[in-house]
Amino acid sequence: MALALGVLISGRGSNLVAILDAIELGKVDAIVKVVASNKANAAGLQRAKERGIPTEYLDPKSFAQEPNPREAYDVAMGVLLQKYGVECVALAGYMRIVTPALIRMFPWKIFNIHPSLLPAFPGLDAQRQALEWGAKVSGCTVHLVTEGVDEGPIIMQTAVPIIEEDTVESLSARILEQEHRLYPQAIQLMAQRRLTLEGRRVRILSQKESIQGK
Ligand code: GRF
């Protein structure tokens, strides 16, 4: 059965589009049930709508009066995702730190993509960090989301060389190209039930070992 996916975005949504394209091409056995955002004007929402995917905007300001606004927001987001029958959540340029409230609702089922080879350069502006550090290689990482920012178990990574002439823009563009290949691949592994966790290590099962259907 196709993986029921929810995608959370805050911006342009190019990774979202890459996931939708891969699904359309039959490379990923998933259905995007909903695209949700904390930003009303996230360009990615429009791109989802154009493809007939349901979209939702959840305004963080409406939770400001709650004793714990961030947790309350995440509970509401989790309930919304469950309402759409989402099984697995892909963060794609989602600019909020996810709290345990949401993680508990989707245990080991929330993915993120980050534009560096984690654990190097977590957090914001990862491409700038890599360039300023003088790293010769950076890349992108798809990982499971845990409480610590960009700290969860690594699913897949792609390396991208840094060249002398690189600017933040040129490096970001080359990394983004790889993100668009990597994220759908990682989601397909989840769709095929080929990911298992041993300690903090993600093991990728062969097709034969896959626990599909169990
Ligand atoms: C990507 O670089 C991703 O790695 C990071 O945020 C950016 C999102 O880009 N988490 P887009 O919205 O998918 O185009």
Side-chain angles (χ1 to χ4, degrees):
M1 233 201 11
L3 181 72
L5 201 61
V7 184
L8 303 189
I9 61 165
S10 300
R12 68 189 160 186
S14 72
N15 277 288
L16 162 71
V17 170
I19 294 166
L20 293 173
D21 286 347
I23 292 173
E24 256 177 50
L25 289 169
K27 291 182 180 171
V28 176
D29 185 20
I31 300 176
V32 176
K33 296 282 193 180
V34 63
V35 175
S37 182
N38 60 325
K39 300 274 182 206
N41 56 359
L45 287 177
Q46 197 46 45
R47 305 184 81 173
K49 275 186 201 144
E50 285 159 11
R51 292 177 180 234
I53 314 273
T55 60
E56 296 274 357
Y57 160 57
L58 199 54
D59 183 1
K61 284 200 287 290
S62 33
F63 299 85
Q65 304 310 318
E66 300 285 339
N68 189 335
R70 289 182 51 235
E71 295 254 339
Y73 183 87
D74 276 2
V75 169
M77 183 61 89
V79 168
L80 184 155
L81 292 166
Q82 284 175 344
K83 190 184 87 187
Y84 280 92
V86 165
E87 184 188 341
C88 179
V89 184
L91 309 184
Y94 184 58
M95 302 301 285
R96 281 179 73 86
I97 295 171
V98 169
T99 67
L102 187 60
I103 295 171
R104 272 197 298 271
M105 293 170 89
F106 296 92
W108 304 116
K109 290 286 168 73
I110 308 180
F111 283 29
N112 183 39
I113 186 150
H114 182 77
S116 76
L117 292 178
L118 291 171
F121 314 122
L124 292 176
D125 283 331
Q127 302 94 331
R128 180 183 300 281
Q129 289 186 54
L131 212 54
E132 288 180 354
W133 189 264
K136 302 299 182 197
V137 179
S138 191
C140 48
T141 303
V142 177
H143 65 94
L144 293 170
V145 172
T146 53
E147 242 182 278
V149 175
D150 300 327
E151 281 179 5
I154 292 169
I155 300 171
M156 293 179 94
Q157 295 186 300
T158 304
V160 174
I162 297 178
I163 56 176
E164 287 302 322
E165 299 73 32
D166 261 332
T167 59
V168 174
E169 290 70 32
S170 66
L171 177 60
S172 301
R174 284 207 317 290
I175 293 176
L176 193 63
E177 214 177 290
Q178 296 308 317
E179 291 183 38
H180 296 164
R181 294 157 50 99
L182 192 68
Y183 214 176
Q185 286 175 22
I187 292 168
Q188 174 63 353
L189 291 176
M190 176 63 105
Q192 294 175 311
R193 324 284 155 182
R194 287 174 60 194
L195 301 177
T196 59
L197 200 58
E198 287 170 7
R200 65 154 291 132
R201 228 175 133 172
V202 173
R203 201 157 86 81
I204 299 177
L205 302 175
S206 68
Q207 298 251 28
K208 225 166 68 197
E209 291 173 300
S210 136
I211 51 173
Q212 193 150 29
K214 281 195 188 161

